[in-house]
């Protein structure tokens, strides 16, 4: 009999062993050992797999929202993980072997066509085997010795074996007989180790579980008081982990959830030892941009961090009015940070003697040399004294470069106090700060003498811009400013508060640029002036701010977000050309933004638009509590 010619090559010797393997498997199926019918068993494992996946995804979503580490697992979650692994192993073992191998092996079209022609090959070999009995006997004797193999082995061998081309009937008989005599099968290719991969993954998670157990012990130590919460960073050497442990201990101690307070996404190493102690998370504040603000011939995009709706929009409108009118001009009047210690003597006479000594110009150079040792930027500018009985308050003023300068001036003051002990040994230093500075409190001394940077900013707003952009008139603005900012504030006994809302703009810029928000108290001291010029056609508006306390180095200015906002303004870090130039520039920008904010709010009040604008920009119909959760 002559075999049919085929264009593709086929490993004939593997076809018959594969068919015999399948015959053996048909006699005893693995599904016969199952307690349930096969379709019910499959349904159970399908249901178990998808149920467990849904449960774990729901739990992980809740942990992410609550900022709970994913490796912290409960007993139900452990059971769910094992159920997931078990169902995955079953489903892969029952359904996935052929599919996975097909993905890995990627057979060619010739290999797939070999399966379709398998029956033809079997008929051919059967005819050849019938002519030679020893070959048939050898084939019959080889079947019992073959162990059951997976059906996918045949396909694998079709790809690996070198093809044998059958050209004649004689060649086919030789091939059949030769392979029949050699009854041993080639070694099987290794199957995909599904169980091994899953087991390895579980082993990889063990270090996380061990770390969780260790964290649990640390949390219990914090709760029991044996380990102080403030020492977690130094004990663990990991600021992020310390914050997470402190956070969990706090939740257990108070019984209150911190799920809305983010934990991840912040560099806790950057605040260690300089910005915040014992952190448990961070607060998110949106940053808006007002501008461009045209100030001294330059344009600035002003970052404002705030949660008050309409504030950025209002300031932006003021910037537009200033820009259309040719810009604003800002002038720095004074630059000096202050610190005022309080000392006490046995008599008022001795206190007065020290006062006269410090205010004597002949002694200033000596005191300046002592003071200036503390820093290469700190330079003593003056000392102002105030006496109350036998107590003396010494108000030191010095330049501080691009730093806000509180620590710098405090070190210089300490040097001077140590020096004075030589000639005034009976001097008792009560405190390095006696509130005559005055820091973070409204005080007339700051309003009169200034503290930090003293700035005045002005602009002439064209009458057409007042009408078209600000939607009011020059006369209305002048009248409102006199009755509100000047007379109204005087009636209230205001101290440095002769303005509409300077603190709004100051605080928003301070938070965005890493300043001390508490210093908005004295930094917001401002008097807003408005008057008609050019025969009443245009508006002259100005703000005078005697105590803007800002810096571009140190403190919160080093954090990534705040540093980016300073970079946006072009005042990031210390000035390399002129020490202190960046901080002075920032102070003038603050004054310019306050001018824009004052101009826009006063216009809204004069036009009766305040309530309408706040209803539009400061109200939300969304349920924020649900969004945050």
């Amino acid at each position: 009999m002559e075999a049919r010619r085929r264009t593709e090559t086929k490993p004939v010797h593997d076809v018959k062993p594969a068919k015999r393997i399948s015959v053996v498997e048909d006699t005893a199926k693995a599904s016969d050992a199952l307690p349930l019918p096969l379709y019910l068993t499959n349904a159970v494992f399908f249901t178990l797999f998808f149920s467990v996946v849904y449960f774990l995804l729901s739990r992980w979503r809740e942990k992410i929202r609550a900022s709970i580490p994913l490796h912290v697992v409960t007993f139900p979650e452990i059971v769910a993980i094992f159920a997931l692994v078990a169902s995955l192993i079953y489903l892969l073992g029952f359904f996935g072997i052929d599919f996975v191998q097909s993905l890995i092996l990627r057979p060619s079209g010739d290999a797939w066509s070999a399966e379709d022609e398998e029956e033809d090959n079997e008929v051919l070999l059967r005819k050849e085997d019938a002519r030679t009995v020893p070959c048939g006997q050898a084939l019959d004797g080889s079947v019992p010795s073959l162990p059951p193999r997976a059906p996918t082995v045949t396909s694998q061998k079709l790809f690996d074996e070198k093809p044998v081309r059958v050209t004649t009937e004689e060649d086919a008989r030789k091939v059949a007989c030769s392979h029949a005599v050699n009854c041993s099968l080639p070694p099987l290719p290794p199957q995909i180790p599904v169980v091994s991969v899953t087991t390895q993954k579980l082993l990889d998670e063990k270090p996380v579980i061990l770390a969780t157990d260790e964290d649990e012990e640390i949390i219990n130590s914090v709760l029991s008081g044996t380990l102080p919460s403030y020492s977690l960073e130094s004990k663990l050497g990991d600021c992020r982990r310390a914050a997470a442990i402190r956070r969990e201990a706090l939740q257990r101690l108070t019984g209150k959830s911190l799920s809305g307070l983010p934990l991840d996404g912040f560099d806790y190493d950057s605040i260690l030892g300089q910005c915040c102690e014992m952190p448990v998370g961070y607060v998110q504040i949106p940053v808006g941009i007002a501008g461009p603000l045209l100030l001294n011939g330059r344009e600035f995009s002003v970052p404002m961090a705030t949660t008050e709706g309409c504030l950025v929009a209002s300031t932006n409108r003021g910037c537009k009015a200033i820009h259309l009118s040719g810009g604003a001009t800002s002038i720095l009047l004074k630059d000096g940070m202050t610190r005022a210690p309080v000392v006490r003597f046995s008599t008022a006479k001795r206190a007065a003697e020290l006062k006269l000594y410090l205010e004597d110009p002949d002694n200033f150079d000596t005191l300046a040399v002592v003071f200036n040792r503390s820093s290469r930027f700190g330079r003593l500018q003056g000392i102002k004294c105030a006496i109350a009985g036998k107590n003396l308050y010494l108000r030191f003023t010095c330049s501080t470069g691009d730093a806000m300068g509180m620590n710098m001036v405090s070190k210089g003051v300490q040097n001077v106090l140590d020096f004075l002990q030589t000639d005034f040994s009976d001097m008792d230093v009560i405190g390095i700060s006696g509130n005559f500075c005055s820091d973070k409190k409204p005080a007339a001394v700051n309003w009169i003498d200034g503290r930090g940077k003293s700035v005045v900013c002005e602009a002439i707003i064209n009458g057409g811009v007042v009408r078209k952009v600000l939607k009011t008139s020059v006369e209305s603005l002048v009248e409102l400013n006199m009755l509100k900012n000047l007379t109204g504030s005087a009636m209230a006994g205001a101290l440095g508060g002769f303005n509409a809302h300077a603190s709004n703009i100051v605080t928003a810029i301070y938070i965005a640029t890493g300043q001390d928000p508490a210093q908005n108290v004295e930094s917001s001291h401002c008097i807003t002036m408005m008057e008609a010029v050019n025969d009443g056609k245009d508006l002259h508006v100005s703000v005078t701010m005697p105590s803007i306390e800002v810096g571009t180095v140190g403190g919160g200015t080093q954090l990534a977000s705040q540093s980016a906002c300073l970079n946006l303004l072009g005042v990031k870090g210390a000035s390399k050309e002129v020490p202190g130039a960046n901080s002075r520039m920032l102070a003038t920008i603050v004054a310019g933004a306050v001018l824009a904010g004052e101009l826009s709010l006063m216009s809204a009040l004069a036009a009766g638009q305040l309530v309408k604008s706040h209803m539009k920009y400061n109200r939300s119909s969304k349920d924020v509590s649900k969004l945050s959760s």
Side-chain angles (χ1 to χ4, degrees), residues 14-30 98 115 118-119 122 126 142-143 146-155 185 188:
D14 276 339
V15 176
K16 292 187 70 176
K19 295 301 290 184
R20 288 172 183 168
I21 292 172
S22 62
V23 172
V24 175
E25 286 180 348
D26 290 339
T27 59
K29 297 181 179 179
D98 291 338
E115 183 178 354
E118 188 176 358
E119 294 296 333
E122 184 180 7
R126 281 179 181 176
S142 63
V143 174
L146 293 175
R149 300 289 182 181
T152 56
V153 175
T154 303
S155 300
L185 290 176
L188 297 177

Side-chain angles (χ1 to χ4, degrees), residues 229-360:
S229 177
Y230 62 80
S231 64
L232 287 174
E233 281 79 6
S234 59
K235 294 291 185 181
L236 300 177
D238 185 344
C239 294
R240 162 61 177 76
R241 183 184 174 198
I245 292 175
R246 183 182 296 110
R247 177 194 184 97
E248 180 62 25
L250 179 63
Q251 292 184 126
R252 297 185 187 181
L253 180 64
T254 61
K256 307 295 184 181
S257 173
L258 294 176
S259 59
L261 185 68
L263 176 66
D264 295 323
F266 187 81
D267 183 10
Y268 292 93
D269 292 330
S270 64
I271 65 174
L272 181 62
Q274 66 173 358
C275 291
C276 181
E277 299 76 33
M278 296 192 290
V280 294
Y282 61 96
V283 174
Q284 296 170 313
I285 302 178
V287 177
I289 297 297
L293 171 65
L294 183 56
L295 182 67
N296 295 335
R298 293 180 56 185
E299 291 185 347
F300 298 93
S301 297
V302 183
M304 302 175 65
T306 180
T307 56
E308 179 183 351
C310 206
L311 177 59
V312 178
S314 177
T315 307
N316 188 68
R317 184 175 74 152
C319 292
K320 179 180 180 181
I322 293 173
H323 200 291
L324 292 176
S325 300
T329 303
S330 188
I331 303 97
L332 184 77
L333 305 175
K334 189 188 300 184
D335 181 9
M337 181 51 62
T338 63
R339 174 63 81 194
V342 54
V343 298
R344 182 173 57 191
F345 290 89
S346 57
T347 63
K349 179 182 178 181
R350 286 290 292 167
E353 290 177 355
L354 178 57
K355 180 178 183 297
L356 296 174
Y357 174 84
L358 294 175
E359 293 179 346
D360 187 350

Side-chain angles (χ1 to χ4, degrees), residues 65 259-261 620-629:
R65 289 179 174 178
S259 59
L261 185 68
S620 175
S621 60
K622 298 180 181 179
D623 190 343
V624 182
S625 62
K626 292 182 180 180
L627 293 176
S628 62
S629 63

Side-chain angles (χ1 to χ4, degrees), residues 5-330:
R5 296 182 181 272
R6 303 187 186 276
T7 57
E8 61 275 11
T9 59
K10 299 175 288 298
V12 178
H13 60 281
D14 276 339
V15 176
K16 292 187 70 176
K19 295 301 290 184
R20 288 172 183 168
I21 292 172
S22 62
V23 172
V24 175
E25 286 180 348
D26 290 339
T27 59
K29 297 181 179 179
S31 61
D32 296 339
L34 296 176
L36 296 175
L38 184 60
Y39 72 94
L40 289 180
T41 305
N42 292 340
V44 169
F45 276 96
F46 266 115
T47 304
L48 177 63
F49 176 79
F50 289 107
S51 300
V52 169
V53 168
Y54 177 79
F55 171 75
L56 291 177
L57 290 178
S58 300
R59 291 291 301 158
W60 290 341
R61 181 179 61 180
E62 294 175 1
K63 288 183 178 181
I64 292 173
R65 289 179 174 178
S67 298
I68 300 175
L70 296 181
H71 62 265
V72 178
V73 294
T74 60
F75 180 74
E77 293 173 350
I78 296 177
V79 175
I81 291 175
F82 279 104
L84 175 66
V85 174
S87 59
L88 182 63
I89 293 175
Y90 174 82
L91 295 176
L92 285 178
F94 195 86
F95 297 100
I97 299 300
D98 291 338
F99 177 70
V100 173
Q101 285 187 343
S102 65
L103 290 180
I104 295 177
L105 297 175
R106 300 280 182 186
S108 62
D110 294 340
W112 292 115
S113 63
E115 183 178 354
D116 297 334
E117 299 170 353
E118 188 176 358
E119 294 296 333
D120 295 338
N121 294 331
E122 184 180 7
V123 173
L124 174 63
L125 293 180
R126 281 179 181 176
K127 292 181 178 180
E128 297 302 324
D129 293 343
R131 299 181 181 183
T132 309
V133 176
C135 293
Q137 292 177 349
L139 288 173
D140 294 338
S142 63
V143 174
S145 63
L146 293 175
R149 300 289 182 181
T152 56
V153 175
T154 303
S155 300
Q156 177 67 27
K157 294 305 296 178
L158 284 173
F159 307 145
D160 294 341
E161 289 294 334
K162 184 176 181 180
V164 178
R165 183 178 299 275
V166 181
T167 56
T168 63
E169 182 178 353
E170 183 66 23
D171 293 337
R173 180 168 60 252
K174 291 180 180 180
V175 171
C177 292
S178 63
H179 284 280
V181 174
N182 185 9
C183 298
S184 62
L185 290 176
L188 297 177
Q191 295 184 356
I192 301 173
V194 178
V195 179
S196 301
V197 174
T198 306
T199 306
Q200 181 63 37
K201 184 176 181 180
L202 291 176
L203 292 176
D204 293 341
E205 294 178 355
K206 285 185 178 179
V208 178
I209 297 176
L210 293 177
T212 303
D213 295 338
E214 183 180 354
D215 290 347
E216 188 68 27
E217 295 179 3
I218 298 175
I219 292 173
N220 294 330
S221 299
V222 173
L223 293 175
S224 63
T226 57
L227 179 62
S229 177
Y230 62 80
S231 64
L232 287 174
E233 281 79 6
S234 59
K235 294 291 185 181
L236 300 177
D238 185 344
C239 294
R240 162 61 177 76
R241 183 184 174 198
I245 292 175
R246 183 182 296 110
R247 177 194 184 97
E248 180 62 25
L250 179 63
Q251 292 184 126
R252 297 185 187 181
L253 180 64
T254 61
K256 307 295 184 181
S257 173
L258 294 176
S259 59
L261 185 68
L263 176 66
D264 295 323
F266 187 81
D267 183 10
Y268 292 93
D269 292 330
S270 64
I271 65 174
L272 181 62
Q274 66 173 358
C275 291
C276 181
E277 299 76 33
M278 296 192 290
V280 294
Y282 61 96
V283 174
Q284 296 170 313
I285 302 178
V287 177
I289 297 297
L293 171 65
L294 183 56
L295 182 67
N296 295 335
R298 293 180 56 185
E299 291 185 347
F300 298 93
S301 297
V302 183
M304 302 175 65
T306 180
T307 56
E308 179 183 351
C310 206
L311 177 59
V312 178
S314 177
T315 307
N316 188 68
R317 184 175 74 152
C319 292
K320 179 180 180 181
I322 293 173
H323 200 291
L324 292 176
S325 300
T329 303
S330 188

